């Protein structure tokens, strides 16, 4: 066995391959290809009393609440802080920041676009760092860093300064979504993941409520040394920094390192996620060369990854590309509306204070979309069907925006149409749940999540640029573009569902052939989950079943 510091993966041998089994014997002293050394060593600590122990519903519920306390609470509050901090520019847009910083033309739009360009450039490196570093510590560092950057925004007096701080904000904030996806697969079962992702993603709506209230209160401050928008950025930045310091000590990195729980509970927590078939951890990135993390290195790293099977499989998998396309088409309208929603509502004839209060209702509607989608997908075990349905209100609201002129008689109707267009969050949650549940193998997960989040960043970066200054205040051309991308999104969802159904049929047919049973029989209930902690891709693992 290699030295403990260097031991991140057991080597495989064609003539001597064993598995980290979960059957009745629970032989955790042997390994299969790609099993992380820490995972193998962790299960080797299992005692005779815990081997083969059945996790009853009461124990499962107790473990789940323990995980909620330490992990979900951090994900929810952190995502709330991230969305609020990133969206603060929207509230500041009608507080005077555009005038004080002398912004003109598309410069305001670029303050949102530059955030997502930074996310795009740093998305792959941060995914790799998430895989390689203690995830809780890395998350805490980034939270504190973006809190400090946000507070520094108050000192900016021109477009250049704002672009610099917003770019750094994007670099540090981009850790959230990929980190939370990894944490979801590490701590929660596939049945729980849609609701878990919905919980933290619903903060997109809650931040609108809280942000609207904070902005409404700050807007009443007059005669202070700082401008209202400067107070907003300083206050939120300091609060975020303090939260990051708390996360540093509160959140465990993994079940293996969660010293806040007993060893038996940690083993049971790992057993809970065995049937995910997606593994817990593997710190070895399966590519030919280790490269530095720069934009040029990222391109080379992806090119070299073609020479290793997991990364190559991810790049050749139509399932991954369909999820990536849904991520892009859902993010493009979101990016534009996130930056321009208050400007649009203000143009309808609502005052500044009324616009802040209307943001509260907008936040409530976003949360209703998110939680209802997460609940219904779990209740009926249908994710892509609901993703298709939740795209339709966006289309309906966009058509109203295009066809109905602005007047004092139509502003309430246009407001209702605007609220209908908040279903994007529900689709995003369901798409993330599809990704976490349908990609096996840690390296393949890194590639897949990088592509999905890069597409999300590209969509959000392009979104504000669709809103051209010469098309204000109704931005009809932007909403025509939204209709087109929604149509593409519906097509991608239909394709993805048909493909996953077909892949499951092929898996069952192959299993029936090896077990001499009829291929028409649904064998999901008979899966042994013997490869659950082996670092196998979804295509390699015979026990893997796709969810849709």
């Amino acid at each position: 066995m290699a030295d403990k510091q260097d031991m991140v993966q057991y080597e495989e041998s064609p003539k001597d391959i064993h598995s980290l089994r979960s059957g009745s014997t629970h032989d955790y002293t042997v390994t299969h290809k790609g099993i992380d050394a820490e995972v193998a060593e962790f299960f080797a600590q299992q005692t005779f009393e815990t081997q083969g122990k059945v996790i009853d519903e009461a124990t499962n519920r107790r473990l789940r609440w323990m995980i909620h306390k330490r992990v979900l609470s951090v994900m929810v509050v952190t995502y709330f802080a991230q969305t609020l901090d990133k969206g603060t520019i929207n509230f500041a847009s009608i507080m005077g920041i555009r005038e004080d910083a002398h912004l003109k033309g598309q410069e305001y739009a670029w303050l949102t676009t530059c955030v997502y360009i930074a996310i795009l450039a740093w998305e792959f490196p941060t995914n790799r760092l998430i895989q390689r570093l203690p995830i809780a510590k890395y998350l805490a560092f980034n939270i504190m860093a973006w809190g400090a950057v946000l507070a520094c925004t108050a000192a900016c007096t021109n477009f250049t300064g704002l672009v610099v701080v917003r770019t750094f904000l994007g670099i540090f904030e981009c850790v959230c979504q990929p980190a939370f996806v990894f944490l979801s697969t590490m701590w929660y079962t596939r049945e729980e993941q849609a609701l878990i992702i919905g919980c933290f993603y619903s903060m997109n709506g809650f931040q609108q409520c809280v942000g609207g209230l904070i902005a409404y209160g700050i807007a009443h401050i007059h005669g202070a040394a700082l401008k209202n928008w400067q107070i907003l950025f300083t206050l939120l930045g300091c609060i975020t920094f303090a939260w990051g310091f708390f996360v540093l000590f509160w959140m465990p990195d993994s079940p293996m390192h969660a010293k806040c729980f007993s060893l038996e509970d940690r083993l049971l927590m790992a057993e809970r996620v065995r049937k995910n078939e997606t593994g817990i951890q593997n710190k070895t990135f399966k590519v030919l060369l280790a490269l530095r993390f720069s934009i040029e290195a990222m391109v080379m790293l992806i090119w070299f990854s073609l020479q290793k099977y997991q990364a190559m499989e991810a790049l050749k998998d139509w399932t991954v590309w369909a999820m990536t396309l849904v991520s892009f088409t859902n993010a493009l309208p979101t990016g534009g509306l996130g930056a321009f929603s208050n400007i649009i509502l203000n143009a309808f004839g609502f005052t500044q204070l009324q616009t802040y209060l209307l943001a509260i209702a907008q936040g409530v509607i976003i949360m209703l979309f998110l939680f209802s989608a997460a609940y219904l997908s779990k209740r009926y075990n249908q994710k892509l069907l609901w993703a298709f349905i939740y795209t339709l209100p966006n289309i309906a609201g966009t058509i109203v925006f295009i066809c109905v002129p602005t007047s004092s008689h139509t502003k309430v109707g246009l407001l209702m149409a605007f609220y209908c267009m908040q279903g994007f969050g529900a689709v995003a949650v369901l798409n993330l749940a599809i990704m976490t549940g349908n990609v096996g193998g840690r390296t393949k997960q890194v590639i897949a999540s990088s592509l999905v989040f890069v597409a999300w960043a590209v969509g959000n970066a392009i979104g504000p640029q669709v809103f051209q200054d010469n098309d204000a205040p109704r931005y009809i051309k932007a909403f025509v573009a939204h209709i087109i991308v929604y149509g593409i999104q519906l097509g991608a969802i239909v394709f993805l569902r048909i493909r996953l159904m077909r892949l499951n049929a092929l898996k069952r047919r192959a299993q029936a052939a090896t077990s001499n049973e009829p291929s028409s029989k649904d064998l999901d209930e008979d899966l042994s989950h013997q490869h659950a902690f082996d670092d196998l891709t979804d295509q390699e693992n015979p026990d893997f079943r796709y969810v849709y």
Side-chain angles (χ1 to χ4, degrees):
M1 186 178 294
D3 184 78
K4 190 172 183 179
Q5 292 181 345
D6 299 323
M7 185 175 58
V8 296
Q9 179 185 356
Y10 286 100
E11 298 294 335
E12 65 261 14
S13 171
K15 297 181 180 180
D16 185 22
I17 294 178
H18 304 283
S19 179
L20 189 65
R21 303 292 187 189
S22 72
S24 59
T25 59
H26 282 268
D27 181 8
Y28 294 110
T29 61
V30 293
T31 60
H32 198 310
K33 70 172 186 178
I35 295 177
D36 189 89
E38 289 183 351
V39 177
E41 184 179 356
F42 173 64
F43 278 108
Q45 302 176 66
Q46 193 173 48
T47 64
F48 177 80
E49 289 77 12
T50 58
Q51 287 183 13
K53 182 174 181 178
V54 176
I55 303 177
D56 56 48
E57 183 54 35
T59 302
N60 188 50
R61 187 163 50 248
R62 178 179 66 84
L63 295 172
R64 187 165 56 239
W65 278 109
M66 291 169 65
I67 296 169
H68 286 347
K69 180 181 177 181
R70 289 280 178 169
V71 180
L72 182 60
S73 60
V74 170
M75 290 197 292
V76 168
V77 177
T78 302
Y79 202 84
F80 165 76
Q82 184 245 4
T83 54
L84 178 61
D85 294 348
K86 185 166 55 185
T88 301
I89 194 71
N90 190 21
F91 294 108
S93 67
I94 55 176
M95 265 186 187
I97 189 173
R98 290 183 294 168
E99 293 78 15
D100 293 338
H102 311 291
L103 303 181
K104 55 186 182 297
Q106 289 297 109
E107 288 182 344
Y108 172 74
W110 275 104
L111 296 184
T112 297
T113 296
C114 70
V115 173
Y116 292 100
I117 291 176
I119 291 173
L120 177 62
W122 193 245
E123 190 65 50
F124 189 85
T126 205
N127 265 278
R128 179 65 181 105
L129 291 171
I130 287 168
Q131 184 190 22
R132 191 74 180 124
L133 300 176
I135 189 169
K137 307 301 185 294
Y138 181 60
L139 177 64
F141 165 77
N142 280 277
I143 295 170
M144 290 187 286
W146 94 58
V149 167
L150 187 72
C152 290
T153 308
C156 298
T157 58
N158 55 42
F159 173 68
T160 302
L162 288 171
V163 166
V164 170
V165 294
R166 296 286 290 176
T167 299
F168 277 104
L169 187 69
I171 289 173
F172 294 123
E173 281 192 349
C174 77
V175 68
C176 285
Q177 293 199 54
F180 294 168
V181 168
F182 280 126
L183 288 169
S184 296
T185 61
M186 182 185 293
W187 292 95
Y188 291 99
T189 66
R190 288 206 289 184
E191 292 79 12
E192 297 165 345
Q193 284 168 12
L195 192 58
I196 295 304
I197 293 173
C199 284
F200 70 76
Y201 215 89
S202 67
M203 294 300 102
N204 280 295
F206 189 58
Q207 68 89 10
Q208 284 289 128
C209 300
V210 176
L213 284 173
I214 294 175
Y216 182 81
I218 291 176
H220 285 83
I221 298 177
H222 302 289
L226 297 176
K227 303 286 182 66
N228 286 351
W229 63 269
Q230 292 175 315
I231 296 173
L232 183 65
F233 281 111
T234 303
L235 174 65
L236 295 180
C238 292
I239 293 173
T240 299
F241 184 89
W243 170 250
F245 191 74
F246 173 78
V247 171
L248 185 65
F249 297 98
W250 180 254
M251 185 180 182
D253 291 304
S254 69
M256 289 80 71
H257 296 98
K259 301 300 183 182
C260 52
F261 305 134
S262 68
L263 176 59
E264 180 178 356
D265 281 342
R266 283 184 281 149
L267 286 163
L268 293 175
M269 287 172 182
E271 283 295 327
R272 287 182 72 247
V273 300
R274 177 180 293 279
K275 63 181 180 179
N276 288 358
E277 301 288 350
T278 53
I280 291 181
Q281 168 182 287
N282 195 296
K283 293 184 178 180
T284 299
F285 189 72
K286 297 180 179 177
V287 292
L288 186 61
L289 297 176
L291 301 171
R292 294 179 181 179
F293 298 132
S294 63
I295 297 177
E296 296 82 6
M298 181 180 71
V299 175
M300 294 176 66
L301 188 56
I302 293 175
W303 186 86
F304 279 118
S305 71
L306 293 172
Q307 301 180 55
K308 284 295 182 177
Y309 80 99
Q310 282 204 15
M312 182 177 181
E313 182 178 309
L315 294 173
K316 293 172 64 177
D317 193 341
W318 285 105
T319 300
V320 172
W321 288 108
M323 294 185 295
T324 301
L325 181 58
V326 172
S327 181
F328 170 78
T329 56
N330 194 60
L332 191 149
T334 307
L337 292 176
F340 285 86
S341 61
N342 283 342
I343 295 175
I344 293 170
L345 294 179
N346 199 226
F348 286 168
F350 297 106
T351 66
Q352 178 186 357
L353 294 178
Q354 287 174 335
T355 300
Y356 290 143
L357 294 177
L358 290 174
I360 299 174
Q362 178 188 353
V364 172
I365 290 168
I366 291 174
M367 287 191 290
L368 287 174
F369 274 123
L370 286 166
F371 282 120
S372 62
Y375 170 77
L376 291 171
S377 68
K378 183 178 180 181
R379 172 70 175 80
Y380 296 102
N381 198 27
Q382 296 285 345
K383 295 180 176 64
L384 289 171
L385 177 62
W386 288 109
F388 187 96
I389 292 172
Y390 275 94
T391 303
L392 301 180
N394 294 281
I395 295 175
T398 304
I399 291 173
V400 171
F401 258 56
I402 294 172
C403 299
V404 178
T406 303
S407 72
S408 58
H409 302 292
T410 61
K411 70 176 185 178
V412 175
L414 289 170
L415 178 64
M416 295 300 104
F418 173 74
Y419 287 155
C420 285
M421 292 156 55
Q422 308 308 307
F424 56 81
V427 178
V429 167
L430 295 172
N431 192 48
L432 287 177
I434 287 293
M435 184 184 73
T436 59
N438 289 302
V439 180
R442 272 310 187 197
T443 298
K444 185 174 180 181
Q445 288 174 341
V446 170
I447 294 291
S449 63
S450 293
L451 289 173
V452 167
F453 291 124
V454 163
W456 169 81
V458 171
N460 275 285
I462 294 174
Q465 299 302 323
V466 175
F467 288 76
Q468 292 293 307
D469 188 60
N470 58 13
D471 197 29
R474 285 298 305 276
Y475 302 104
I476 298 299
K477 295 176 183 177
F479 290 110
V480 170
H482 288 186
I483 286 288
I484 295 171
V485 297
Y486 285 137
I488 297 172
Q489 178 172 298
L490 291 178
I493 291 171
V494 171
F495 167 80
L496 189 54
R497 180 179 171 84
I498 294 173
R499 174 173 170 78
L500 294 177
M501 292 174 67
R502 173 63 176 166
L503 290 175
N504 272 352
L506 293 175
K507 288 255 187 187
R508 294 189 182 105
R509 188 180 303 168
Q511 188 178 21
T514 58
S515 60
N516 296 319
E517 297 188 31
S519 60
S520 60
K521 181 179 178 181
D522 188 344
L523 298 171
D524 281 1
E525 294 81 6
D526 300 326
L527 299 178
S528 63
H529 302 298
Q530 291 187 348
H531 303 282
F533 296 124
D534 297 353
D535 191 25
L536 300 178
T537 70
D538 51 281
Q539 294 180 13
E540 286 181 293
N541 190 344
D543 292 339
F544 196 96
R545 292 296 181 269
Y546 298 95
V547 293
Y548 49 82

